[in-house]
Amino acid sequence: MPSPCNRVILAAAGSRKTQLIIDGALEAPGRRTLITTYTTENLAQITRRLQEVTGIVPGNISLLGWFSFLVNQAARPYQAALIGQIDYIQSLNFTGQRFHRTPREQWRRFYFDRDANLYRDGVADFACRVDDASGGAVVRRLAAMYDRIYIDELQDLVGYDLDFLDRLFQSGIEIIAVGDPRQHTLSTNNSTRNKQYRGAGLIGWLRKRQDRCTVETRAESWRCNQQICDWADAIYPTMTPTKSHNDEWTGHDGVFTIARDDVHTYVAKYRPMVLRHSRTTDTMGLPALNFGLSKGSTYDRVLIFPTKPMLAYLKNSDPARLKASDRLYVAVTRARHSVTFVVDRRDATYAMPPPDAELHSG
Amino acid sequence: MLKKIVIKNYKVFRDFVLDLAPGMNVVVGDNAVGKSTLLEAVNLALTGRLNGAALAVELSPFLFNLDAARAYVQALQRGERPVPPEILIEVYFDDVVEHAHLKATNNSLREDVPGVRIRVSFNEDFREEYDAYVADPAQVTTVPAEYYKVDWLSFSGNSVTARGVPATASLIDATAIRLQHGADAYLQTIIGSNLEPNERVELSRSYRSLRETFSGIDAVAAVNEKLAGERGDISDRRLTLSIDLSQRSGWERSLVPHLDDLPFPYVGKGEQSTLKILLALNRKKVKDTHVVLIEEPENHVSFSRLNLLIDKVVQKCAGKQVLVTTHSAFILNKLGLDELVLLSPEGGHRITDLPPSTVEYFKKLPGYDTLRLVLARQAILVEGPSDELIVQRAYLDVHGKAPIRAGIDVINVRGLSAKRFLDLAVPLRRRVAVVNDNDGDPQKMAAKYADYARYEFITIHIGKGDPTTLEPQVLAANGLERMNQVLGTSYPTETALLKFMLDNKTTWALAVAESPETIIMPEYILDAVAL
C-alpha cells in the first residue's frame, strides 16, 4: 500500500538534520519508532543526544545500526523461507567478499561465508529475496513492530538497500529518511546494483518514487556563513542554493587560500581544524582529521590540505572535472566562519583570495 | 497467552507437543510421566533459569532424554559420527501485534507466530576437544554436556533477554519448600514482583535507615568502643560490629514475612504453600502475560483448606493462564473436568465435547474419584461396595491376578453418577465395562445406557433373568448349600439366606472375596471381567 506519509528530507550540511530526527521521535511518545543509520558513530551520537533530552532513551524508541536492522530484523526471521532451514544465519561478515563469479542461485556460497555469516554486499539483497520467498512476511512483521522508521544519512544506502527501502516505503510504516546526496562519502556496500543512484544520483531514484514519498529540500544552514554556503553550493550547481542563518562576523570569514610558507603563522593565529584526504597527506606536522571522518562535526575554522583534483578545482571552478566532490563538500561545510586551502605558493590564478589582509593586520 | 509447548530431548520428553488452553489447564498423569518436568520446562523457556540459576550453570548430562542419550552413545560405539543431541524447549504465543518482535518461523514447527525457545546444542568452538574426546567411543557413556552452549532465542532468531520476553511465569512448587536466608527465594520473588517499583525503593530505603539507626544506639556504640580498644589481638585495624550495609544484603535477604507474628518458615507447610499460591495469583501487572504454574497444590494442605484454596484459585484465575499439576480428583473436579490435560511423554490429551452438565455435576460433587477413570488403562464401573468386591474376586478367579495389577480399576460409582463417568470415558476413549443390576426390568436398564453402548470401547453388563440384584443373582448361581458353605452360615431356606445377604451386603461380599473357596459368578459379571 503506498503511503503518502513517507518523507525524504534532503538537507544541506548544518541544516540540523539530526535534530529533526530527535525532535520528531520524541514528540510521538505513543509511536513505536525505530531510528537507524549506517555508522555506529552516528548512531551513538543520536543516542547521546536523545539521552541529553530525556535522560534515558524512551521505551518506544529503538536504535539499530542499518546492518543490525537488516541482519536481525530482516534477514534472520524468515531465513527458512529462502534457505529451507532455521538457525542458519550467524552474523555479518563486514570485510570479506564472495568469490566474484559465484552464481546467485548458489545461495550458500553467494550470501554466506564458511561460518554462515552474511557477506555485507549481499545482506539487503538477501533480505529482499527472503521477503519475496516468505510472501512479504519480512516487511509485514516490521510493519507490526514499528509505526515509524527514521533513517539518517540516507545517502549512505546504496545497492539493494534501495530495493529494501522501496519495500519499506510500501509497508504502511511511516518512513522518514534524512540525508544529503552531496555528503555521500560512505557506502553500506559495494554492490553494482543501482549504481546510477549513488551520490547525487539518489535524487533521480527518489524522483521515480513520487507516488510513495514526498521529497523536501532543506536548503538552509545554521552552521556555515553565506560565503561558505555559496562556495560549497557551486560544487553541486544543480541542487538548490543554500541560505545561511549564520551572520556572525569574526573579521576572517569566507573561503581563502594560503601559501605553505604562511601555514604555521596562520595556524597560530586562527587555530583551525586541519583536514586532510588521508594519513599519507603531508600536513606539515600538524595534527589532522580525514575528510570522511569529519562528517557530522562542526568547527569554527578549517584548514584543508587539498588533493590534486581539488587544487585543480580551486583554479578552474569546474565541478564536472572534480572527482570526490562529496569529500570536498563535506570538508568545506564543516566550518562556521572560514575555510582556508593550503596551496604551494601565492598565485593570483586561484579563484579565492589569500587571507593576507587579515593575516597581517592582526 | 501461551498457545503451545514443544519439548525435545529434555528429561522424559523426547518429542513432545502440547496445546494449551487460554485459562485453566489441569495436568494429570501417572507418576514419572513428566508433570513436574512440563512446568519446569515452561518456566525455563520463559525465564531462562532452572532451579533459580541460569541454565548454562545448571547444565548436566542428566537433563538430556535418556533414550536420545543412549541412541547417541550407541551410534558412537558403532563407529558412526552422530550429531550430539540437542535440547529444545519452545513456547508459542498467540499472534498479537505486541509480540511481533518475537515473531517469525525460527521454530521447530516452522509456524509464523511469536514465541521463545531455549536451545542447548553442541558448541562448535569445542570441535577440536570434542573430536579428541569421541575418538575413543568406549569412554563416552553419556552426552558430553561440557561442550554444549545455551541459546535463548525468540522465533525471530535473535537472542532474547528476560526483559524482552512478554510473558512471565510464577512456578509454585509446594512440594519442595526451600529455605534460604529466612524466607525462601520463591516467596521473595513473588513478593518482589507484587510491589511497584516505588514501593520497593521505599522499602529498601527504610531498611537501610533502620540499619543506620542500629549503630547509633548507645549500647551498640559502647560495645563497639570496647571492641575497638582491643586492637592488636586480631588485627591492627579497628574492629567494630555493624549490620551489613553492602548491596548484597538488601531487604530481600533479611526481611522475613510473618503470618500473625509467626515467621514464615515456622508457619505450617500447608499454610506456606497456600500463601505462595495466592500471592502468585495476586500479581496485577496488566501488560505482560502471566502464566501461573502450580505444582500439586494438594500437598501439605488439609481437605477443608484445599477446598478454600481451590475456590480462591478459581476466583483469582479468571483471565489468567494457569497450569496446575495434580494427583487429586478433588482438584480436577473443582477446577473443571473440561480443563483436563492427560499427559503422556509425547503430548497431552485434552478432552473436548464433555457435556457441560457433567462438568458442573463433578464441580458440585468433587468427591468422585474421576481421576481413577482418567488414569486407568481400563475401568469397571460397579454400583456398590458388594459389587466392587465380587467383581474384583471374579477377575482374580478368571485371570489369576488382581485387576489393578493389569491397570484395570474397579470403581464404585453409585447409581446416577455412572452415566457421568461414561461421559468422561467417551472423549478419553477409555475401555469401560459397566456392571449393573437389572432392577426387575433388564430392557429398561439397557435402554438407560443405549447412548453409550454404541461405542466399541464401552460395554454394558446387566444382570440376566429374574434376579433383580447381585445377591439373588449370586444365590441363584450357587444354590443354598454352596452359599451357606462359603459364607459359613446355615440358613434353612434361600429366602432366609437372601435376607441375610441383603441385610449384610458388605459382610457376605467380603466373605466371598476372602474365601479360599471359589463360587460360581453370575454370567453378566463373568462377561464384564472377560474384557
Side-chain angles (χ1 to χ4, degrees), chain A residues 307-358:
Chain A
T307 60
K308 282 217 166 77
M310 288 180 191
L311 275 173
Y313 177 76
L314 295 186
K315 288 194 175 179
N316 62 30
S317 302
D318 181 2
R321 282 193 274 165
L322 180 63
K323 276 189 195 156
S325 45
D326 38 29
R327 281 164 204 270
L328 179 60
Y329 180 85
V330 167
V332 169
T333 53
R334 294 313 94 202
R336 283 200 187 90
H337 306 303
S338 69
V339 178
T340 301
F341 290 93
V342 179
V343 296
D344 285 344
R345 55 197 153 72
R346 295 185 195 170
D347 187 336
T349 60
Y350 287 117
M352 301 87 59
D356 287 357
E358 290 86 354

Short mmCIF file of all heavy atoms in Angstrom, two decimals, chain A residues 307-358:
data_model
loop_
_atom_site.label_atom_id
_atom_site.label_comp_id
_atom_site.label_asym_id
_atom_site.label_seq_id
_atom_site.Cartn_x
_atom_site.Cartn_y
_atom_site.Cartn_z
N THR A 307 43.62 17.71 -2.21
CA THR A 307 44.18 16.74 -3.14
C THR A 307 44.47 17.46 -4.46
O THR A 307 44.03 18.59 -4.67
CB THR A 307 43.18 15.61 -3.39
OG1 THR A 307 42.00 16.19 -3.95
CG2 THR A 307 42.83 14.88 -2.11
N LYS A 308 45.13 16.77 -5.37
CA LYS A 308 45.45 17.38 -6.68
C LYS A 308 44.18 17.80 -7.42
O LYS A 308 44.11 18.94 -7.91
CB LYS A 308 46.28 16.40 -7.52
CG LYS A 308 47.75 16.35 -7.11
CD LYS A 308 48.64 16.18 -8.35
CE LYS A 308 50.11 16.46 -8.02
NZ LYS A 308 50.73 15.30 -7.30
N PRO A 309 43.18 16.92 -7.54
CA PRO A 309 41.96 17.36 -8.25
C PRO A 309 41.31 18.57 -7.57
O PRO A 309 40.75 19.44 -8.23
CB PRO A 309 41.04 16.13 -8.18
CG PRO A 309 41.95 14.98 -7.92
CD PRO A 309 43.10 15.52 -7.14
N MET A 310 41.40 18.61 -6.25
CA MET A 310 40.82 19.76 -5.54
C MET A 310 41.57 21.03 -5.89
O MET A 310 40.98 22.09 -6.12
CB MET A 310 40.86 19.53 -4.02
CG MET A 310 39.87 18.50 -3.53
SD MET A 310 40.00 18.32 -1.74
CE MET A 310 39.02 16.86 -1.48
N LEU A 311 42.93 20.91 -5.95
CA LEU A 311 43.74 22.07 -6.32
C LEU A 311 43.35 22.58 -7.71
O LEU A 311 43.19 23.79 -7.93
CB LEU A 311 45.22 21.69 -6.33
CG LEU A 311 45.93 21.76 -4.98
CD1 LEU A 311 47.35 21.20 -5.10
CD2 LEU A 311 45.96 23.21 -4.45
N ALA A 312 43.13 21.61 -8.62
CA ALA A 312 42.72 21.98 -9.97
C ALA A 312 41.39 22.72 -9.94
O ALA A 312 41.19 23.73 -10.61
CB ALA A 312 42.62 20.74 -10.85
N TYR A 313 40.49 22.19 -9.09
CA TYR A 313 39.17 22.81 -8.99
C TYR A 313 39.27 24.24 -8.45
O TYR A 313 38.53 25.13 -8.86
CB TYR A 313 38.26 21.97 -8.09
CG TYR A 313 36.89 22.58 -7.87
CD1 TYR A 313 35.93 22.51 -8.89
CD2 TYR A 313 36.57 23.23 -6.69
CE1 TYR A 313 34.69 23.09 -8.71
CE2 TYR A 313 35.32 23.80 -6.51
CZ TYR A 313 34.38 23.74 -7.52
OH TYR A 313 33.14 24.32 -7.35
N LEU A 314 40.24 24.45 -7.55
CA LEU A 314 40.41 25.80 -6.99
C LEU A 314 40.71 26.80 -8.09
O LEU A 314 40.39 27.97 -7.99
CB LEU A 314 41.54 25.81 -5.95
CG LEU A 314 41.33 24.99 -4.69
CD1 LEU A 314 42.47 25.21 -3.70
CD2 LEU A 314 40.00 25.32 -4.02
N LYS A 315 41.36 26.29 -9.16
CA LYS A 315 41.70 27.19 -10.27
C LYS A 315 40.58 27.27 -11.30
O LYS A 315 40.20 28.35 -11.73
CB LYS A 315 42.98 26.72 -10.97
CG LYS A 315 44.20 26.94 -10.11
CD LYS A 315 45.47 26.79 -10.94
CE LYS A 315 46.68 27.15 -10.08
NZ LYS A 315 47.92 26.99 -10.81
N ASN A 316 40.04 26.09 -11.69
CA ASN A 316 39.13 26.12 -12.83
C ASN A 316 37.65 26.21 -12.43
O ASN A 316 36.79 26.47 -13.25
CB ASN A 316 39.36 24.90 -13.74
CG ASN A 316 39.09 23.60 -13.01
OD1 ASN A 316 38.27 23.53 -12.12
ND2 ASN A 316 39.82 22.55 -13.38
N SER A 317 37.35 25.96 -11.18
CA SER A 317 35.96 26.02 -10.69
C SER A 317 34.99 25.19 -11.53
O SER A 317 33.82 25.56 -11.66
CB SER A 317 35.46 27.47 -10.64
OG SER A 317 36.29 28.22 -9.82
N ASP A 318 35.48 24.09 -12.12
CA ASP A 318 34.59 23.28 -12.95
C ASP A 318 34.23 21.99 -12.23
O ASP A 318 35.03 21.05 -12.16
CB ASP A 318 35.31 22.95 -14.26
CG ASP A 318 34.42 22.11 -15.18
OD1 ASP A 318 33.25 21.83 -14.79
OD2 ASP A 318 34.90 21.73 -16.26
N PRO A 319 33.05 21.92 -11.66
CA PRO A 319 32.68 20.74 -10.87
C PRO A 319 32.63 19.47 -11.72
O PRO A 319 32.78 18.37 -11.20
CB PRO A 319 31.30 21.08 -10.32
CG PRO A 319 30.78 22.19 -11.16
CD PRO A 319 31.98 22.93 -11.71
N ALA A 320 32.42 19.60 -13.02
CA ALA A 320 32.33 18.41 -13.86
C ALA A 320 33.64 17.64 -13.87
O ALA A 320 33.66 16.43 -14.06
CB ALA A 320 31.93 18.81 -15.28
N ARG A 321 34.73 18.34 -13.67
CA ARG A 321 36.03 17.67 -13.72
C ARG A 321 36.53 17.27 -12.33
O ARG A 321 37.61 16.73 -12.18
CB ARG A 321 37.06 18.59 -14.40
CG ARG A 321 36.89 18.59 -15.92
CD ARG A 321 38.08 19.22 -16.59
NE ARG A 321 37.91 20.67 -16.67
CZ ARG A 321 38.92 21.53 -16.94
NH1 ARG A 321 40.14 21.07 -17.10
NH2 ARG A 321 38.68 22.82 -17.03
N LEU A 322 35.72 17.57 -11.34
CA LEU A 322 36.14 17.30 -9.96
C LEU A 322 35.77 15.87 -9.55
O LEU A 322 34.63 15.45 -9.70
CB LEU A 322 35.44 18.29 -9.02
CG LEU A 322 35.76 18.16 -7.54
CD1 LEU A 322 37.22 18.43 -7.24
CD2 LEU A 322 34.87 19.12 -6.75
N LYS A 323 36.79 15.12 -9.08
CA LYS A 323 36.49 13.79 -8.53
C LYS A 323 36.28 13.95 -7.03
O LYS A 323 36.76 14.88 -6.43
CB LYS A 323 37.68 12.85 -8.78
CG LYS A 323 37.64 12.22 -10.15
CD LYS A 323 38.72 11.15 -10.22
CE LYS A 323 38.97 10.75 -11.66
NZ LYS A 323 40.33 10.20 -11.81
N ALA A 324 35.59 13.01 -6.45
CA ALA A 324 35.37 13.02 -5.00
C ALA A 324 34.83 14.36 -4.53
O ALA A 324 35.27 14.91 -3.52
CB ALA A 324 36.65 12.66 -4.24
N SER A 325 33.85 14.87 -5.29
CA SER A 325 33.26 16.15 -4.91
C SER A 325 32.60 16.07 -3.53
O SER A 325 32.56 17.07 -2.80
CB SER A 325 32.24 16.58 -5.96
OG SER A 325 31.41 15.48 -6.30
N ASP A 326 32.11 14.85 -3.18
CA ASP A 326 31.45 14.72 -1.87
C ASP A 326 32.40 15.03 -0.73
O ASP A 326 32.04 15.67 0.25
CB ASP A 326 30.86 13.31 -1.73
CG ASP A 326 31.74 12.22 -2.34
OD1 ASP A 326 32.98 12.43 -2.37
OD2 ASP A 326 31.20 11.20 -2.77
N ARG A 327 33.66 14.60 -0.87
CA ARG A 327 34.63 14.85 0.19
C ARG A 327 34.94 16.34 0.32
O ARG A 327 35.06 16.87 1.44
CB ARG A 327 35.92 14.08 -0.05
CG ARG A 327 35.77 12.64 0.36
CD ARG A 327 36.85 11.77 -0.21
NE ARG A 327 36.34 10.40 -0.25
CZ ARG A 327 36.48 9.54 0.75
NH1 ARG A 327 37.17 9.87 1.82
NH2 ARG A 327 35.97 8.34 0.68
N LEU A 328 35.08 16.98 -0.83
CA LEU A 328 35.35 18.42 -0.80
C LEU A 328 34.18 19.14 -0.14
O LEU A 328 34.35 20.02 0.70
CB LEU A 328 35.59 18.94 -2.22
CG LEU A 328 35.86 20.44 -2.34
CD1 LEU A 328 37.12 20.83 -1.55
CD2 LEU A 328 36.03 20.87 -3.80
N TYR A 329 32.97 18.72 -0.52
CA TYR A 329 31.77 19.36 0.04
C TYR A 329 31.72 19.19 1.56
O TYR A 329 31.48 20.12 2.32
CB TYR A 329 30.52 18.77 -0.61
CG TYR A 329 29.24 19.38 -0.10
CD1 TYR A 329 28.74 20.56 -0.66
CD2 TYR A 329 28.54 18.81 0.97
CE1 TYR A 329 27.57 21.15 -0.17
CE2 TYR A 329 27.38 19.38 1.47
CZ TYR A 329 26.90 20.54 0.89
OH TYR A 329 25.76 21.12 1.38
N VAL A 330 31.98 17.94 2.01
CA VAL A 330 31.95 17.66 3.45
C VAL A 330 32.99 18.52 4.16
O VAL A 330 32.71 19.17 5.17
CB VAL A 330 32.21 16.17 3.73
CG1 VAL A 330 32.51 15.93 5.21
CG2 VAL A 330 31.02 15.33 3.29
N ALA A 331 34.22 18.56 3.59
CA ALA A 331 35.31 19.28 4.26
C ALA A 331 34.97 20.77 4.40
O ALA A 331 35.11 21.36 5.48
CB ALA A 331 36.61 19.09 3.48
N VAL A 332 34.50 21.34 3.33
CA VAL A 332 34.24 22.78 3.32
C VAL A 332 33.11 23.14 4.29
O VAL A 332 33.17 24.13 5.01
CB VAL A 332 33.89 23.24 1.88
CG1 VAL A 332 33.35 24.66 1.88
CG2 VAL A 332 35.12 23.13 0.99
N THR A 333 32.08 22.29 4.32
CA THR A 333 30.90 22.64 5.11
C THR A 333 31.03 22.30 6.59
O THR A 333 30.06 22.35 7.32
CB THR A 333 29.65 21.94 4.55
OG1 THR A 333 29.91 20.53 4.46
CG2 THR A 333 29.28 22.48 3.18
N ARG A 334 32.25 21.97 7.04
CA ARG A 334 32.45 21.78 8.49
C ARG A 334 32.55 23.12 9.21
O ARG A 334 32.36 23.20 10.41
CB ARG A 334 33.75 20.99 8.77
CG ARG A 334 33.81 19.54 8.32
CD ARG A 334 32.60 18.76 8.67
NE ARG A 334 31.65 18.76 7.57
CZ ARG A 334 30.35 18.53 7.69
NH1 ARG A 334 29.84 18.29 8.87
NH2 ARG A 334 29.54 18.56 6.66
N ALA A 335 32.90 24.16 8.46
CA ALA A 335 33.30 25.42 9.10
C ALA A 335 32.15 26.39 9.29
O ALA A 335 31.29 26.51 8.43
CB ALA A 335 34.40 26.07 8.28
N ARG A 336 32.18 27.06 10.41
CA ARG A 336 31.22 28.13 10.65
C ARG A 336 31.65 29.40 9.92
O ARG A 336 30.86 30.03 9.25
CB ARG A 336 31.14 28.47 12.14
CG ARG A 336 30.36 27.51 12.96
CD ARG A 336 29.94 28.18 14.27
NE ARG A 336 29.32 27.21 15.16
CZ ARG A 336 29.99 26.50 16.05
NH1 ARG A 336 31.29 26.68 16.21
NH2 ARG A 336 29.37 25.62 16.80
N HIS A 337 32.96 29.73 10.10
CA HIS A 337 33.38 31.07 9.68
C HIS A 337 34.33 31.08 8.50
O HIS A 337 34.17 31.89 7.60
CB HIS A 337 34.05 31.80 10.86
CG HIS A 337 33.19 31.83 12.08
ND1 HIS A 337 31.92 32.35 12.07
CD2 HIS A 337 33.41 31.38 13.34
CE1 HIS A 337 31.38 32.23 13.29
NE2 HIS A 337 32.27 31.64 14.08
N SER A 338 35.33 30.18 8.53
CA SER A 338 36.32 30.29 7.46
C SER A 338 36.83 28.93 7.02
O SER A 338 36.96 28.01 7.82
CB SER A 338 37.51 31.14 7.94
OG SER A 338 38.24 30.45 8.93
N VAL A 339 37.11 28.85 5.70
CA VAL A 339 37.71 27.68 5.10
C VAL A 339 38.96 28.16 4.36
O VAL A 339 38.87 29.08 3.55
CB VAL A 339 36.77 27.01 4.09
CG1 VAL A 339 37.43 25.81 3.44
CG2 VAL A 339 35.45 26.64 4.74
N THR A 340 40.11 27.56 4.67
CA THR A 340 41.33 28.00 4.00
C THR A 340 42.05 26.79 3.42
O THR A 340 42.26 25.80 4.11
CB THR A 340 42.25 28.76 4.98
OG1 THR A 340 41.53 29.89 5.50
CG2 THR A 340 43.51 29.25 4.27
N PHE A 341 42.39 26.90 2.10
CA PHE A 341 43.10 25.82 1.41
C PHE A 341 44.59 26.12 1.40
O PHE A 341 44.99 27.25 1.12
CB PHE A 341 42.60 25.69 -0.02
CG PHE A 341 41.20 25.15 -0.12
CD1 PHE A 341 40.11 26.02 -0.19
CD2 PHE A 341 40.97 23.78 -0.13
CE1 PHE A 341 38.83 25.53 -0.28
CE2 PHE A 341 39.68 23.28 -0.22
CZ PHE A 341 38.60 24.16 -0.29
N VAL A 342 45.38 25.08 1.67
CA VAL A 342 46.83 25.23 1.62
C VAL A 342 47.28 25.03 0.17
O VAL A 342 46.98 24.00 -0.44
CB VAL A 342 47.52 24.21 2.54
CG1 VAL A 342 49.04 24.37 2.45
CG2 VAL A 342 47.03 24.37 3.97
N VAL A 343 47.97 26.04 -0.40
CA VAL A 343 48.50 25.93 -1.77
C VAL A 343 50.01 26.12 -1.71
O VAL A 343 50.55 26.58 -0.70
CB VAL A 343 47.85 26.99 -2.70
CG1 VAL A 343 46.36 26.72 -2.82
CG2 VAL A 343 48.09 28.39 -2.16
N ASP A 344 50.71 25.75 -2.80
CA ASP A 344 52.16 25.77 -2.76
C ASP A 344 52.72 27.19 -2.62
O ASP A 344 53.64 27.45 -1.86
CB ASP A 344 52.72 25.11 -4.02
CG ASP A 344 52.57 23.59 -3.93
OD1 ASP A 344 52.34 23.12 -2.78
OD2 ASP A 344 52.66 22.91 -4.95
N ARG A 345 52.20 28.10 -3.43
CA ARG A 345 52.69 29.48 -3.35
C ARG A 345 51.57 30.43 -3.69
O ARG A 345 50.54 30.01 -4.21
CB ARG A 345 53.88 29.67 -4.31
CG ARG A 345 53.55 29.29 -5.73
CD ARG A 345 54.78 29.08 -6.57
NE ARG A 345 54.51 28.16 -7.65
CZ ARG A 345 53.76 28.47 -8.71
NH1 ARG A 345 53.23 29.67 -8.84
NH2 ARG A 345 53.52 27.57 -9.66
N ARG A 346 51.81 31.67 -3.40
CA ARG A 346 50.80 32.68 -3.71
C ARG A 346 50.61 32.75 -5.21
O ARG A 346 51.57 32.79 -5.95
CB ARG A 346 51.23 34.04 -3.17
CG ARG A 346 51.27 33.99 -1.67
CD ARG A 346 51.57 35.31 -1.09
NE ARG A 346 51.93 35.09 0.31
CZ ARG A 346 52.43 36.01 1.08
NH1 ARG A 346 52.69 37.22 0.60
NH2 ARG A 346 52.71 35.73 2.33
N ASP A 347 49.38 32.73 -5.63
CA ASP A 347 49.12 32.64 -7.07
C ASP A 347 47.78 33.31 -7.34
O ASP A 347 46.74 32.88 -6.83
CB ASP A 347 49.06 31.17 -7.46
CG ASP A 347 48.95 30.98 -8.97
OD1 ASP A 347 48.47 31.92 -9.64
OD2 ASP A 347 49.33 29.89 -9.44
N ALA A 348 47.82 34.33 -8.12
CA ALA A 348 46.62 35.12 -8.39
C ALA A 348 45.58 34.36 -9.19
O ALA A 348 44.44 34.78 -9.29
CB ALA A 348 46.99 36.41 -9.14
N THR A 349 45.99 33.19 -9.75
CA THR A 349 45.03 32.47 -10.58
C THR A 349 44.03 31.68 -9.75
O THR A 349 43.07 31.13 -10.27
CB THR A 349 45.76 31.49 -11.52
OG1 THR A 349 46.50 30.56 -10.74
CG2 THR A 349 46.65 32.22 -12.48
N TYR A 350 44.22 31.55 -8.43
CA TYR A 350 43.21 30.86 -7.61
C TYR A 350 41.96 31.70 -7.54
O TYR A 350 42.00 32.92 -7.56
CB TYR A 350 43.75 30.62 -6.20
CG TYR A 350 44.79 29.50 -6.19
CD1 TYR A 350 46.10 29.77 -5.81
CD2 TYR A 350 44.44 28.21 -6.56
CE1 TYR A 350 47.05 28.76 -5.80
CE2 TYR A 350 45.40 27.20 -6.56
CZ TYR A 350 46.69 27.48 -6.19
OH TYR A 350 47.62 26.50 -6.20
N ALA A 351 40.87 31.01 -7.49
CA ALA A 351 39.58 31.70 -7.51
C ALA A 351 39.32 32.49 -6.23
O ALA A 351 38.46 33.34 -6.19
CB ALA A 351 38.46 30.69 -7.74
N MET A 352 40.06 32.14 -5.15
CA MET A 352 39.81 32.83 -3.89
C MET A 352 41.04 33.63 -3.48
O MET A 352 42.17 33.28 -3.81
CB MET A 352 39.51 31.84 -2.75
CG MET A 352 38.32 30.97 -3.01
SD MET A 352 38.81 29.50 -3.93
CE MET A 352 39.99 28.82 -2.82
N PRO A 353 40.81 34.64 -2.75
CA PRO A 353 41.92 35.46 -2.30
C PRO A 353 42.67 34.78 -1.15
O PRO A 353 42.09 33.96 -0.46
CB PRO A 353 41.24 36.73 -1.81
CG PRO A 353 39.91 36.25 -1.33
CD PRO A 353 39.52 35.12 -2.24
N PRO A 354 43.93 35.15 -0.97
CA PRO A 354 44.60 34.72 0.25
C PRO A 354 44.09 35.56 1.41
O PRO A 354 43.66 36.70 1.20
CB PRO A 354 46.07 35.02 -0.04
CG PRO A 354 46.05 36.10 -1.06
CD PRO A 354 44.76 35.99 -1.82
N PRO A 355 44.12 35.03 2.62
CA PRO A 355 43.62 35.80 3.76
C PRO A 355 44.68 36.75 4.27
O PRO A 355 44.73 37.02 5.47
CB PRO A 355 43.31 34.70 4.77
CG PRO A 355 44.29 33.62 4.45
CD PRO A 355 44.59 33.71 3.00
N ASP A 356 45.50 37.26 3.33
CA ASP A 356 46.66 38.04 3.75
C ASP A 356 46.30 39.26 4.55
O ASP A 356 46.94 39.58 5.55
CB ASP A 356 47.49 38.44 2.53
CG ASP A 356 48.24 37.24 1.98
OD1 ASP A 356 48.13 36.14 2.60
OD2 ASP A 356 48.91 37.38 0.96
N ALA A 357 45.28 39.93 4.08
CA ALA A 357 44.90 41.16 4.76
C ALA A 357 44.69 40.90 6.24
O ALA A 357 45.30 41.52 7.11
CB ALA A 357 43.62 41.71 4.13
N GLU A 358 43.88 39.87 6.52
CA GLU A 358 43.61 39.52 7.91
C GLU A 358 44.89 39.06 8.61
O GLU A 358 45.16 39.37 9.75
CB GLU A 358 42.57 38.40 8.00
CG GLU A 358 41.17 38.79 7.62
CD GLU A 358 40.91 38.67 6.12
OE1 GLU A 358 41.87 38.41 5.38
OE2 GLU A 358 39.76 38.85 5.70
#
